[in-house]
Amino acid sequence: MTAKLDREKVRREFTEVVNMTAPEIEKWLQTPESKKVGFKGADRGRTESVGHASGRRIVKILGKQRDELTDDDYAHMRKVVGYVRRHSAQRPENVYTSRWRYSLMNWGHDPTK
């Protein structure tokens, strides 16, 4: 029963922080701004940032029915909630064209909405 309650909490928090639709995220992920921001590993060896990969995963999660969500999906949803909450606290003066906003949008959250 605790696991079910935890899943409900994670799902509720995820839907609170992810304020972009799957089509909005997909469109955003195609932009140069989306591809330029984010952590690509300590040696910058990754071709895709962690946030950009997360955005692709969020799109898949948003396309699933509740009973199709896996334990891995819930773990990623929890990671998204944590990232958006931590990153949102670092709000810069220039929000609209900031790398901060672009990074959050890779994680499905547009702070200007």
Side-chain angles (χ1 to χ4, degrees):
M1 183 155 160
T2 304
K4 184 177 179 181
L5 291 175
D6 184 49
R7 282 183 164 211
E8 287 302 315
K9 180 181 178 200
V10 170
R11 193 171 182 286
R12 184 180 64 250
E13 291 174 341
F14 179 80
T15 59
E16 288 171 5
V17 301
V18 175
N19 66 357
M20 296 171 71
T21 65
E24 287 174 325
I25 297 169
E26 285 179 314
K27 184 176 178 182
W28 165 251
L29 292 174
Q30 298 305 312
T31 68
E33 292 85 358
S34 169
K35 295 174 183 176
K36 287 180 186 174
V37 297
F39 181 69
K40 293 185 178 175
D43 63 355
R44 306 280 300 163
R46 294 175 56 133
T47 57
E48 180 181 40
S49 73
V50 173
H52 199 273
S54 175
R56 290 186 302 101
R57 178 94 189 262
I58 291 166
V59 168
K60 289 179 184 176
I61 290 170
L62 292 174
K64 292 183 176 186
Q65 298 296 320
R66 184 183 304 200
D67 62 343
E68 297 174 319
L69 294 170
T70 66
D71 288 343
D72 285 343
D73 291 332
Y74 280 100
H76 190 73
M77 292 162 73
R78 188 176 294 111
K79 182 177 179 177
V80 170
V81 170
Y83 179 85
V84 170
R85 288 186 175 161
R86 281 189 314 277
H87 206 63
S88 292
Q90 303 167 8
R91 188 178 187 95
E93 281 186 36
N94 167 21
V95 172
Y96 288 91
T97 58
S98 65
R99 294 176 62 83
W100 172 82
R101 177 184 180 216
Y102 298 160
S103 180
L104 279 168
M105 289 174 69
N106 280 352
W107 289 80
H109 180 79
D110 184 348
T112 65
K113 282 189 164 191

